[in-house]
Each structure stands twice: as structure tokens, then as C-alpha cells.
Amino acid sequence: MKIIVNLDVMLARRKMKLKDLAAAIAISEQNVSLIKTGKVKGIRFETLAKICEVLDCQPGDILEFSPSAE
């Protein structure tokens, strides 16, 4: 995939666990885990906005484009 999800990096920087983020944005841990591992085909802007609000970051801190990634 050419889009790399760096959610795990942001969680580590904020010293937050996946389950805490899931609770804060009212989404199941399983769905947040799927986002974190890049196993989703899309993410709602509303969900991305909630993640950015909780982690105090920008969407570019979480999502990265890599033309060489497969």
C-alpha cells in the first residue's frame, strides 16, 4: 500500500494505549487496531478528526504517502 499509517508512532509519542484511544473516540479497539495496521481501505474524515483531536496532531502525522511502498 502506498499510504503508510503511523498511528502506532503517534500513540507511542503520546504514551497512550490503543484501548484508551478507542475509548476516547468511541470506536471499538478492533477497528482502531485495523486502522493502526493499515488493513482498512478507507477512514472517515470524522474518525480521522477525532483521532487527531485526541492525539493533538495533524492528519499528516498519522498518514504518509510513499510511492515505493507496496
Side-chain angles (χ1 to χ4, degrees), residues 34-46:
L34 289 172
I35 293 169
K36 183 183 90 160
T37 57
K39 293 183 179 177
V40 293
K41 294 196 183 255
I43 182 171
R44 294 179 184 263
F45 286 143
E46 181 181 348

Side-chain angles (χ1 to χ4, degrees), residues 16-30 32:
M16 181 180 275
K17 294 186 179 186
L18 186 114
K19 69 177 186 173
D20 297 329
L21 176 63
I25 63 175
I27 293 178
S28 73
E29 286 182 53
Q30 181 179 8
V32 177

Side-chain angles (χ1 to χ4, degrees), residues 1 3 7 11-12 14-15 17-18 21 52 55 57-58:
M1 180 186 283
I3 301 295
L7 184 56
L11 285 168
R14 300 300 188 251
K15 295 182 173 126
K17 294 186 179 186
L18 186 114
L21 176 63
C52 288
L55 294 178
C57 65
Q58 295 294 312

Side-chain angles (χ1 to χ4, degrees), residues 50-64:
K50 286 178 184 179
I51 291 170
C52 288
E53 184 178 340
V54 171
L55 294 178
D56 189 29
C57 65
Q58 295 294 312
D61 296 327
I62 298 171
L63 302 174
E64 177 185 345

